[in-house]
Amino acid sequence: MVATKAGLTRQGPDQWLPVGRPGYLSQQVERSLRFLKTDVIDLWQLHRIDPEVQVEESLGVIAKLQQQGKIRHVGLSEVKPHQIEQARKVVNIVSVQNLYNVGARQHEDVLEYCEKHGLAFIPWYPVAAGKLAQPGGKLGVIAKRRGATVAQLSIAWLLHRSPVMLPIPGTSSVAHLEENLRSADILLSSAESKEIENAVGS
């Protein structure tokens, strides 16, 4: 499955602006189709909800593009439960992509909403861009005991946390991808999961 996003523009270094105008989002979908050389986008996600545009307007055009067969599934990014509820009145939402990892769990309410309603939860920044894997930390001790890397342990924790969890760790090589995939083989007990959480929180 190939997923893409639209709805966030970069104005400069570390300057991002949500743009949810229907015309802009429609244009971005068409550009993605050409760029990806496909007739349909498997999963299209609204990068951010634009506070200046009604959600009904932003997602209304996406619903039309979905009806035209250009988008298969629709997801949201960086939202709260009430925003998901609002969006679901316009178009069927299948996934939510929010910042989440063992050291950043501020979106527990969103994860619980996804579990309740059967939505996929896609945590971005799943290993905090390597920050969780710094040498000498408590996670390193636990990882060594399990014969794993800290990154693998962090992903394994996510998979243990919820059945709707779909981590998307970044990678730049096939070897790294294969290393990440081996995280699924690490089965954690509830006690180990809690130990990992305490190690990051302490």
Side-chain angles (χ1 to χ4, degrees), residues 121-172:
F121 184 87
I122 306 171
W124 64 269
Y125 220 48
V127 294
K131 291 181 181 178
L132 294 177
Q134 295 299 318
K138 293 183 179 180
L139 275 184
V141 175
I142 302 172
K144 185 176 181 180
R145 189 175 71 219
R146 289 302 307 263
T149 67
V150 174
Q152 286 175 327
L153 192 69
S154 300
I155 298 170
W157 177 86
L158 287 168
L159 294 172
H160 178 270
R161 171 62 186 81
S162 173
V164 302
M165 192 77 72
L166 292 174
I168 49 169
T171 184
S172 58

Side-chain angles (χ1 to χ4, degrees), residues 70-132:
K70 295 182 178 182
I71 295 172
R72 187 163 286 123
H73 302 291
V74 180
L76 302 171
S77 181
E78 284 304 298
V79 288
K80 299 302 285 183
H82 74 276
Q83 294 173 311
I84 307 173
E85 282 285 339
Q86 188 177 7
R88 292 177 69 199
K89 294 176 181 178
V90 184
V91 66
N92 184 44
I93 300 298
V94 302
S95 65
V96 174
Q97 183 175 334
N98 279 21
L99 168 64
Y100 190 86
N101 57 58
V102 68
R105 304 196 293 273
Q106 65 269 35
H107 290 300
E108 289 287 352
D109 58 339
V110 179
L111 176 55
E112 290 169 4
Y113 180 96
C114 289
E115 290 173 335
K116 180 179 178 180
H117 296 279
L119 308 182
F121 184 87
I122 306 171
W124 64 269
Y125 220 48
V127 294
K131 291 181 181 178
L132 294 177

Side-chain angles (χ1 to χ4, degrees), residues 50-65:
D50 186 343
E52 302 298 322
V53 181
Q54 293 291 324
V55 171
E56 291 79 4
E57 291 185 42
S58 295
L59 291 178
V61 69
I62 298 304
K64 291 179 181 178
L65 290 168

